[in-house]
């Protein structure tokens, strides 16, 4: 079992980096005309969030000796890009709320949301180009590989909605793109900015992939078992929408006979009635699916820690490993 740092300085370190990211984001878009574009852009950037991705990047950069100021433009870039994906995801999902507020396409309209997202995407590349480094070409290549892989994953997620017989392995490959690509890029970009060698860059990339799997499986699990008001979503919402999550796909692989038919009906009917969510949870628990999902989160989290053990020791590395442990234990 990996020993995870618990020094209080880790929490203080993360809070300080998050504050710097938030402060920088507030100053990003001074433009006011046309307000139909810049008001929604600012609305998105001021919407809050844990800022996990930029903090991961900053810690990876610090672990190899880069200053926060040198890595901050790239940290802003990944957070701006993340918010771009949320704006467009909300359009695709017809989502009404994001972080307790109306989504952009609801607050304004779909055209405004598309244009705002486009602006955020372009802004993220502009920020990345501001990193003071001789490695800019490689940074951009790494960034674009992330964008490509994320788009592939998002496409597969959409395709899976109408595909029968999606395997857990196919699902994991999809989240390596949709969720893992950006987390992986955060660690890789931080390493590049800090001057990490190839062996360490490979370790950062592998850690990011495992982190993405742990994060998404945990998200799938919390959708069904979260009991914290901060979750902010309808419990069982994924099942009610008929989404093929890790839990549902494992249930379909494990169940037999009438139990299989019960879960298969969720897919066939494009969702589960809200009053049957507790029964679905009980049925999954009887198959050991919840326990298996928790074990998978633990497995991929520990694998990420194992990859990071190859990095040189530092306070930044301790904080990075502490943050990953906190992500595993999150309740919202």
């Amino acid at each position: 079992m990996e020993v995870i740092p618990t020094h209080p300085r880790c929490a203080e370190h993360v809070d300080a980096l998050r504050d710097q990211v938030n402060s920088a984001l507030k100053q990003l878009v001074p433009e006011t005309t046309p307000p139909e574009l810049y008001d929604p852009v600012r609305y998105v950037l001021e919407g809050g969030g844990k800022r996990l991705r930029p903090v991961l990047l900053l810690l990876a950069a610090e672990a190899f000796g880069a200053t926060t100021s040198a890595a901050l433009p790239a940290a802003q870039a990944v957070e701006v890009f993340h918010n771009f994906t949320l704006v467009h995801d909300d359009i695709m999902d017809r989502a009404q709320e994001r972080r307790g507020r109306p989504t952009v396409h609801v607050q304004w309209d779909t055209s405004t949301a598309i244009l705002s997202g486009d602006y955020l995407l372009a802004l993220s590349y502009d920020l990345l180009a501001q990193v003071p480094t001789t490695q800019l070409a490689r940074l951009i290549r790494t960034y674009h590989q992330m964008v490509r892989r994320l788009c592939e994953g998002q496409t597969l997620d959409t395709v899976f909605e109408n595909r029968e017989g999606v395997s857990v392995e196919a699902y994991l490959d999809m989240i390596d793109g949709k969720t893992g690509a950006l987390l992986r890029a955060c660690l890789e970009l931080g390493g590049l900015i800090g001057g990490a060698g190839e062996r360490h860059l490979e370790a950062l990339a592998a850690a990011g992939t495992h982190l993405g799997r742990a994060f998404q499986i945990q998200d799938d699990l919390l959708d069904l078992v979260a009991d914290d008001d901060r979750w902010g979503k309808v419990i069982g919402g994924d099942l009610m929408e008929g989404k093929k999550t890790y839990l549902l796909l494992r249930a379909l692989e494990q169940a037999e006979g009438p139990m299989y038919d019960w879960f298969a009906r969720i897919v066939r009917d494009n969702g589960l009635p809200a009053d049957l969510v507790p029964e679905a949870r009980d049925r999954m628990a009887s198959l050991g699916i919840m326990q298996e999902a928790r074990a998978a989160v633990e497995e991929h989290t520990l694998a990420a820690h194992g990859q990071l053990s190859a990095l040189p020791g530092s306070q930044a590395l301790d904080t990075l490993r502490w943050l990953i442990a906190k992500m595993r234990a999150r309740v919202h």
Side-chain angles (χ1 to χ4, degrees):
M1 177 69 70
E2 289 280 334
V3 178
I4 308 304
T6 57
H7 196 287
R9 285 186 59 194
C10 293
E12 295 169 4
H13 195 172
V14 167
D15 287 343
L17 294 177
R18 185 181 292 118
D19 288 346
Q20 290 190 62
V21 170
N22 283 327
S23 177
L25 289 174
K26 288 179 181 178
Q27 304 172 47
L28 263 186
V29 186
E31 293 87 356
T32 58
T33 304
E36 292 82 3
L37 173 64
Y38 294 116
D39 286 352
V41 167
R42 277 187 289 270
Y43 179 82
V44 172
L45 296 178
E46 294 168 1
K50 303 179 185 70
R51 312 304 190 199
L52 289 172
R53 292 155 187 83
V55 170
L56 287 170
L57 188 150
L58 292 172
L59 289 171
E62 284 185 9
F64 291 93
T67 63
T68 300
S69 59
L72 190 58
Q76 292 180 81
V78 297
E79 183 64 12
V80 169
F81 178 83
H82 175 56
N83 279 273
F84 145 70
T85 67
L86 298 181
V87 172
H88 280 196
D89 282 354
D90 287 341
I91 297 170
M92 296 172 67
D93 296 339
R94 300 181 180 86
Q96 299 298 300
E97 287 191 358
R98 168 71 64 179
R99 296 168 178 163
R101 306 186 307 166
T103 51
V104 177
H105 69 274
V106 171
Q107 184 76 1
W108 283 273
D109 54 52
T110 300
S111 296
T112 297
I114 292 172
L115 288 171
S116 299
D118 291 346
Y119 178 87
L120 289 167
L121 174 60
L123 178 59
S124 75
Y125 272 97
D126 182 53
L127 287 163
L128 188 67
Q130 296 175 31
V131 176
T133 177
T134 59
Q135 292 268 44
L136 183 58
R138 186 164 181 185
L139 285 180
I140 292 175
R141 285 198 304 273
T142 299
Y143 199 77
H144 183 65
Q145 288 167 2
M146 174 272 293
V147 175
R148 174 181 58 79
R149 189 71 180 95
L150 188 146
C151 289
E152 291 172 351
Q154 183 66 55
T155 299
L156 286 173
D157 190 35
T158 302
V159 169
F160 286 174
E161 292 178 8
N162 299 309
R163 179 183 293 178
E164 295 184 5
V166 176
S167 68
V168 170
E169 195 57 40
Y171 178 79
L172 291 174
D173 183 63
M174 180 272 290
I175 64 175
D176 284 349
K178 181 182 177 182
T179 304
L182 183 51
L183 293 171
R184 170 177 173 151
C186 289
L187 296 178
E188 284 187 283
L189 291 168
L192 283 168
I193 293 167
E198 293 302 322
R199 181 172 65 89
H200 288 146
L201 288 171
E202 290 174 4
L204 288 167
T209 297
H210 284 294
L211 183 57
R213 290 191 174 196
F215 190 91
Q216 186 60 57
I217 296 171
Q218 177 83 329
D219 212 55
D220 292 351
L221 182 62
L222 287 172
D223 182 79
L224 198 53
V225 304
D227 58 5
D228 190 297
D229 291 340
R230 292 171 294 175
W231 176 238
K233 303 177 186 177
V234 176
I235 297 301
D238 287 344
L239 285 175
M240 291 161 62
E241 295 174 14
K243 291 185 66 173
K244 296 181 176 72
T245 65
Y246 180 88
L247 300 178
L248 181 55
L249 293 174
R250 280 301 293 143
L252 288 168
E253 289 186 352
Q254 292 279 81
E256 298 178 348
M259 181 77 86
Y260 173 84
D261 293 337
W262 196 92
F263 284 112
R265 193 177 304 119
I266 298 174
V267 176
R268 186 173 63 249
D269 295 346
N270 295 313
L272 182 73
D275 61 339
L276 292 180
V277 168
E279 181 178 350
R281 183 168 52 237
D282 292 343
R283 285 174 178 267
M284 286 181 175
S286 71
L287 291 171
I289 302 300
M290 311 302 193
Q291 183 178 356
E292 182 180 321
R294 292 187 179 95
V297 172
E298 182 76 6
E299 173 191 349
H300 287 294
T301 301
L302 291 178
H305 283 300
Q307 292 293 335
L308 294 178
S309 66
L311 275 58
S314 66
Q315 172 63 32
L317 177 60
D318 285 348
T319 304
L320 179 58
R321 296 176 68 235
W322 175 87
L323 179 58
I324 289 174
K326 292 288 287 185
M327 291 169 69
R328 173 193 60 191
R330 68 192 173 99
V331 294
H332 61 93

